[in-house]
Amino acid sequence: MKIGVLALQGAVAEHLRLLEMAGATAVPVKKVEELEDLDGLIIPGGESTTISKLMHKYGFMEAVRRFGEAKKPVFGTCAGAILLANRINGQEDYHLGLMDMKVERNAFGRQKESFEAVLPIAGVAPDFTAVFIRAPYIMELGETGEVLAKFDDKIVAARQGHYLAAAFHPELTEDSRFHKYFLDMVKESRGVRAAT
Amino acid sequence: MVEVGTSRVKRGMAEMQKGGVIMDVVNAEQAKIAEAAGAVAVMALERVPSDIRAAGGVARMADLSIVEEVLKAVSIPVMAKARIGHFVEARVLESMGVDYIDESEVLTPADDMFHINKKDFTVPFVCGARDLGEALRRIGEGASMIRTKGEPGTGNIVEAVRHMRTMQAQIRKVQSMSYDELMAEAKNLGAPYELLEYVHKNGKLPVVNFAAGGVATPSDAALMMQLGADGVFVGSGIFKSENPEKYARAIVEATTHYTDYELIARVSKGLGAPMTGIEISKIREADRMQERGW
């Protein structure tokens, strides 16, 4: 199983390391051509405005949308979750719009309010250390979405079909259970794609 | 249980900045230009380093109305500088909600003996370093991010290159040492033993390491990335160039694609003049900012 990590900016190396810990072949993706032979893609944490601008510049917006529409799984963490959403609170525009959800940026405050907390994540772990850094949260999740975790009654992890989003940074821990969950989604999707 | 200001949260913030460009700005308008160009953060200042150098006198924390203006203008993180050792300036910046504090040699040091005890703060700190020992001393005090000192405000990359090469060479040396040699090397470098042990095992600093102090062109940024920087600070290089918007965008692209020479060539064309540089040997020893701190 070959998983790419979008490597325009942000915490790329951390995701690559955890993917390998979880048993996948992991590669950084800097050019759209590199998406071709991947089974899944992670959009890492970083600055969503920076990553979005670079995605536009190099044709990644269309390429990642096609990737998602081909039923290949995409996992966004923090900035990556903002990029996946089809609505952003207080903004007219959105980025990829692949996942039906409304997100609020910097929803827990500035850096000094950033925190970590141990959360239960449905299907992943009863005790996952979630690191929130100037994190967003999911204000509204579309009907087909499944809430995986909440903090303070706010949705902070969700799945919708072959899309996965986390407001926090599993890549900043040594815990590969969230990445394993994503790899299971990738396996599942390969089965579905092979059958159709 | 919820914990704020943990080392993971503070260092993690810097991890999210990797591969990006942090730009010095002196007002809301510049901050917006930087954000639109793809900066991962802005450093709110009263004057960019080259103007601080030109003005002389005592350089202090920025006018707080500038910091506030920048905080309101952009959604990306905002950094600000406090003088070396000036923990009250740092506390004031923290209280205003600044996302990262640079305990910076660009400002006139407030304490010629001690740096700020950064572990005490919820807000993370970045500090300058010229070599591995200095980097590990700052991390020992609680810095969550390191940058080369270079020579700020010169538009001359040579000092940043020297500091990055020195650090990388020292890291390689420590990595290849036997365990028996580590304590003596800790003494040599003036570095905390436990942190040196981390470098020995992992072959890198325990925090993100950016380049700073002299980056003026897209090629300068790519050079520093190839020498092992995790990202780049650009001080005077952007808003002292002929066309700041273009420079900002070009430096962002060159930092992302630092080994793609065709791309760097493309973004470097038609940029207009970069900032005017200064030859390091023309700067009197007493005026070299990198000598501040230890």
Short mmCIF file of all heavy atoms in Angstrom, two decimals, chain B residues 256-288:
data_model
loop_
_atom_site.label_atom_id
_atom_site.label_comp_id
_atom_site.label_asym_id
_atom_site.label_seq_id
_atom_site.Cartn_x
_atom_site.Cartn_y
_atom_site.Cartn_z
N THR B 256 9.64 25.95 -1.01
CA THR B 256 8.92 24.67 -1.18
C THR B 256 9.68 23.75 -2.13
O THR B 256 9.89 22.58 -1.84
CB THR B 256 7.51 24.92 -1.76
OG1 THR B 256 6.78 25.67 -0.80
CG2 THR B 256 6.78 23.61 -2.03
N HIS B 257 10.08 24.30 -3.28
CA HIS B 257 10.73 23.48 -4.32
C HIS B 257 12.22 23.79 -4.38
O HIS B 257 12.72 24.22 -5.41
CB HIS B 257 10.06 23.76 -5.67
CG HIS B 257 8.64 23.26 -5.73
ND1 HIS B 257 8.33 21.93 -5.78
CD2 HIS B 257 7.47 23.92 -5.70
CE1 HIS B 257 7.01 21.78 -5.80
NE2 HIS B 257 6.46 22.98 -5.75
N TYR B 258 12.90 23.57 -3.27
CA TYR B 258 14.28 24.06 -3.17
C TYR B 258 15.29 23.29 -4.01
O TYR B 258 16.44 23.69 -4.11
CB TYR B 258 14.71 24.15 -1.71
CG TYR B 258 14.63 22.87 -0.92
CD1 TYR B 258 15.70 21.98 -0.89
CD2 TYR B 258 13.49 22.56 -0.20
CE1 TYR B 258 15.62 20.80 -0.15
CE2 TYR B 258 13.40 21.39 0.52
CZ TYR B 258 14.47 20.52 0.55
OH TYR B 258 14.39 19.36 1.26
N THR B 259 14.88 22.17 -4.60
CA THR B 259 15.82 21.47 -5.49
C THR B 259 15.39 21.56 -6.95
O THR B 259 16.00 20.96 -7.82
CB THR B 259 15.97 19.98 -5.12
OG1 THR B 259 14.67 19.40 -5.15
CG2 THR B 259 16.57 19.79 -3.74
N ASP B 260 14.32 22.29 -7.23
CA ASP B 260 13.81 22.40 -8.60
C ASP B 260 14.37 23.68 -9.22
O ASP B 260 13.80 24.76 -9.12
CB ASP B 260 12.28 22.42 -8.55
CG ASP B 260 11.65 22.39 -9.94
OD1 ASP B 260 12.35 22.74 -10.92
OD2 ASP B 260 10.46 22.02 -10.03
N TYR B 261 15.51 23.53 -9.90
CA TYR B 261 16.22 24.72 -10.39
C TYR B 261 15.49 25.43 -11.50
O TYR B 261 15.57 26.65 -11.63
CB TYR B 261 17.65 24.34 -10.81
CG TYR B 261 18.38 23.65 -9.68
CD1 TYR B 261 18.74 22.32 -9.74
CD2 TYR B 261 18.64 24.36 -8.50
CE1 TYR B 261 19.36 21.69 -8.68
CE2 TYR B 261 19.26 23.74 -7.43
CZ TYR B 261 19.62 22.39 -7.52
OH TYR B 261 20.21 21.79 -6.46
N GLU B 262 14.74 24.69 -12.30
CA GLU B 262 13.97 25.35 -13.37
C GLU B 262 12.90 26.24 -12.75
O GLU B 262 12.67 27.36 -13.22
CB GLU B 262 13.33 24.31 -14.29
CG GLU B 262 14.36 23.70 -15.23
CD GLU B 262 13.82 22.51 -15.99
OE1 GLU B 262 12.58 22.34 -16.06
OE2 GLU B 262 14.64 21.73 -16.50
N LEU B 263 12.27 25.72 -11.71
CA LEU B 263 11.25 26.53 -11.03
C LEU B 263 11.88 27.77 -10.39
O LEU B 263 11.36 28.88 -10.50
CB LEU B 263 10.53 25.70 -9.97
CG LEU B 263 9.44 26.44 -9.19
CD1 LEU B 263 8.23 25.53 -8.96
CD2 LEU B 263 9.93 26.97 -7.84
N ILE B 264 13.02 27.59 -9.73
CA ILE B 264 13.67 28.73 -9.09
C ILE B 264 14.06 29.77 -10.15
O ILE B 264 13.89 30.97 -9.95
CB ILE B 264 14.89 28.29 -8.26
CG1 ILE B 264 14.43 27.36 -7.12
CG2 ILE B 264 15.62 29.50 -7.66
CD1 ILE B 264 15.56 26.65 -6.38
N ALA B 265 14.52 29.29 -11.31
CA ALA B 265 14.87 30.21 -12.40
C ALA B 265 13.62 30.98 -12.83
O ALA B 265 13.65 32.21 -12.99
CB ALA B 265 15.45 29.44 -13.57
N ARG B 266 12.52 30.25 -12.99
CA ARG B 266 11.29 30.89 -13.45
C ARG B 266 10.81 31.97 -12.47
O ARG B 266 10.50 33.08 -12.87
CB ARG B 266 10.21 29.82 -13.65
CG ARG B 266 9.01 30.31 -14.46
CD ARG B 266 8.05 29.17 -14.79
NE ARG B 266 7.35 28.70 -13.61
CZ ARG B 266 7.38 27.44 -13.16
NH1 ARG B 266 8.09 26.53 -13.78
NH2 ARG B 266 6.71 27.10 -12.08
N VAL B 267 10.78 31.63 -11.18
CA VAL B 267 10.24 32.61 -10.22
C VAL B 267 11.22 33.76 -9.96
O VAL B 267 10.82 34.81 -9.45
CB VAL B 267 9.83 31.97 -8.86
CG1 VAL B 267 8.78 30.90 -9.08
CG2 VAL B 267 11.03 31.41 -8.11
N SER B 268 12.49 33.56 -10.31
CA SER B 268 13.48 34.60 -10.03
C SER B 268 13.57 35.66 -11.14
O SER B 268 14.21 36.69 -10.96
CB SER B 268 14.87 33.98 -9.84
OG SER B 268 14.84 33.07 -8.78
N LYS B 269 12.92 35.37 -12.26
CA LYS B 269 13.00 36.32 -13.38
C LYS B 269 12.13 37.54 -13.15
O LYS B 269 11.02 37.43 -12.65
CB LYS B 269 12.54 35.63 -14.67
CG LYS B 269 13.63 34.83 -15.34
CD LYS B 269 13.11 34.22 -16.64
CE LYS B 269 13.72 32.84 -16.84
NZ LYS B 269 12.88 31.98 -17.67
N GLY B 270 12.64 38.71 -13.54
CA GLY B 270 11.84 39.94 -13.51
C GLY B 270 11.42 40.38 -12.13
O GLY B 270 10.36 40.98 -11.96
N LEU B 271 12.22 40.07 -11.13
CA LEU B 271 11.84 40.44 -9.76
C LEU B 271 12.20 41.87 -9.43
O LEU B 271 11.71 42.43 -8.46
CB LEU B 271 12.56 39.53 -8.75
CG LEU B 271 12.06 38.11 -8.61
CD1 LEU B 271 12.86 37.39 -7.54
CD2 LEU B 271 10.58 38.10 -8.25
N GLY B 272 13.09 42.48 -10.21
CA GLY B 272 13.60 43.80 -9.84
C GLY B 272 14.73 43.62 -8.85
O GLY B 272 15.14 42.50 -8.53
N ALA B 273 15.21 44.74 -8.32
CA ALA B 273 16.41 44.68 -7.48
C ALA B 273 16.12 44.13 -6.10
O ALA B 273 15.10 44.45 -5.50
CB ALA B 273 17.00 46.08 -7.36
N PRO B 274 17.01 43.25 -5.58
CA PRO B 274 16.87 42.83 -4.18
C PRO B 274 17.30 43.97 -3.25
O PRO B 274 17.74 45.02 -3.72
CB PRO B 274 17.82 41.66 -4.07
CG PRO B 274 18.85 41.88 -5.12
CD PRO B 274 18.19 42.67 -6.22
N MET B 275 17.19 43.73 -1.95
CA MET B 275 17.67 44.76 -1.01
C MET B 275 19.16 44.99 -1.23
O MET B 275 19.87 44.10 -1.70
CB MET B 275 17.41 44.33 0.43
CG MET B 275 18.29 43.18 0.89
SD MET B 275 18.02 42.73 2.62
CE MET B 275 18.89 44.05 3.49
N THR B 276 19.63 46.15 -0.88
CA THR B 276 21.06 46.43 -0.99
C THR B 276 21.77 45.70 0.14
O THR B 276 21.32 45.74 1.28
CB THR B 276 21.31 47.94 -0.83
OG1 THR B 276 20.39 48.61 -1.69
CG2 THR B 276 22.72 48.31 -1.21
N GLY B 277 22.83 45.01 -0.18
CA GLY B 277 23.51 44.21 0.84
C GLY B 277 24.70 44.94 1.47
O GLY B 277 25.13 45.98 0.99
N ILE B 278 25.21 44.34 2.55
CA ILE B 278 26.39 44.89 3.22
C ILE B 278 27.44 43.79 3.33
O ILE B 278 27.12 42.67 3.74
CB ILE B 278 26.06 45.37 4.66
CG1 ILE B 278 24.87 46.34 4.67
CG2 ILE B 278 27.28 46.02 5.31
CD1 ILE B 278 24.41 46.70 6.07
N GLU B 279 28.66 44.11 2.99
CA GLU B 279 29.76 43.18 3.16
C GLU B 279 30.08 43.08 4.66
O GLU B 279 30.19 44.10 5.35
CB GLU B 279 30.95 43.71 2.33
CG GLU B 279 32.30 43.15 2.67
CD GLU B 279 32.38 41.64 2.56
OE1 GLU B 279 31.73 41.07 1.67
OE2 GLU B 279 33.09 41.04 3.38
N ILE B 280 30.18 41.84 5.17
CA ILE B 280 30.29 41.65 6.62
C ILE B 280 31.53 42.33 7.20
O ILE B 280 31.49 42.93 8.28
CB ILE B 280 30.32 40.13 6.97
CG1 ILE B 280 29.06 39.42 6.43
CG2 ILE B 280 30.45 39.91 8.48
CD1 ILE B 280 27.74 39.86 7.00
N SER B 281 32.66 42.28 6.45
CA SER B 281 33.89 42.86 7.00
C SER B 281 33.81 44.38 7.14
O SER B 281 34.62 44.99 7.83
CB SER B 281 35.09 42.48 6.11
OG SER B 281 34.90 43.02 4.82
N LYS B 282 32.79 44.97 6.50
CA LYS B 282 32.62 46.43 6.62
C LYS B 282 31.85 46.81 7.89
O LYS B 282 31.68 47.99 8.20
CB LYS B 282 31.86 46.97 5.40
CG LYS B 282 32.56 46.77 4.06
CD LYS B 282 33.70 47.77 3.87
CE LYS B 282 34.21 47.79 2.44
NZ LYS B 282 34.88 46.51 2.08
N ILE B 283 31.33 45.78 8.58
CA ILE B 283 30.58 46.07 9.81
C ILE B 283 31.54 45.97 10.99
O ILE B 283 32.21 44.95 11.16
CB ILE B 283 29.43 45.06 10.02
CG1 ILE B 283 28.53 45.03 8.77
CG2 ILE B 283 28.61 45.40 11.24
CD1 ILE B 283 27.52 43.89 8.80
N ARG B 284 31.60 47.02 11.78
CA ARG B 284 32.49 46.98 12.95
C ARG B 284 32.07 45.83 13.87
O ARG B 284 30.89 45.54 14.00
CB ARG B 284 32.38 48.29 13.74
CG ARG B 284 33.04 49.48 13.08
CD ARG B 284 33.06 50.65 14.06
NE ARG B 284 31.72 50.83 14.64
CZ ARG B 284 31.49 51.30 15.86
NH1 ARG B 284 32.50 51.62 16.66
NH2 ARG B 284 30.26 51.47 16.31
N GLU B 285 33.07 45.24 14.51
CA GLU B 285 32.81 44.10 15.38
C GLU B 285 31.70 44.40 16.39
O GLU B 285 30.81 43.60 16.62
CB GLU B 285 34.09 43.71 16.12
CG GLU B 285 34.06 42.29 16.59
CD GLU B 285 35.25 41.49 16.05
OE1 GLU B 285 35.77 41.81 14.97
OE2 GLU B 285 35.64 40.56 16.72
N ALA B 286 31.74 45.60 16.97
CA ALA B 286 30.76 45.96 17.99
C ALA B 286 29.35 46.08 17.43
O ALA B 286 28.37 46.03 18.17
CB ALA B 286 31.16 47.30 18.63
N ASP B 287 29.24 46.23 16.11
CA ASP B 287 27.92 46.37 15.49
C ASP B 287 27.37 45.05 14.96
O ASP B 287 26.30 45.01 14.36
CB ASP B 287 27.99 47.38 14.33
CG ASP B 287 28.27 48.79 14.84
OD1 ASP B 287 27.90 49.07 16.00
OD2 ASP B 287 28.87 49.58 14.09
N ARG B 288 28.11 43.95 15.15
CA ARG B 288 27.62 42.66 14.66
C ARG B 288 26.59 42.09 15.63
O ARG B 288 26.89 41.80 16.78
CB ARG B 288 28.79 41.69 14.47
CG ARG B 288 29.63 42.14 13.29
CD ARG B 288 30.73 41.16 12.94
NE ARG B 288 31.65 41.87 12.04
CZ ARG B 288 32.86 41.48 11.75
NH1 ARG B 288 33.33 40.36 12.28
NH2 ARG B 288 33.62 42.17 10.95
#
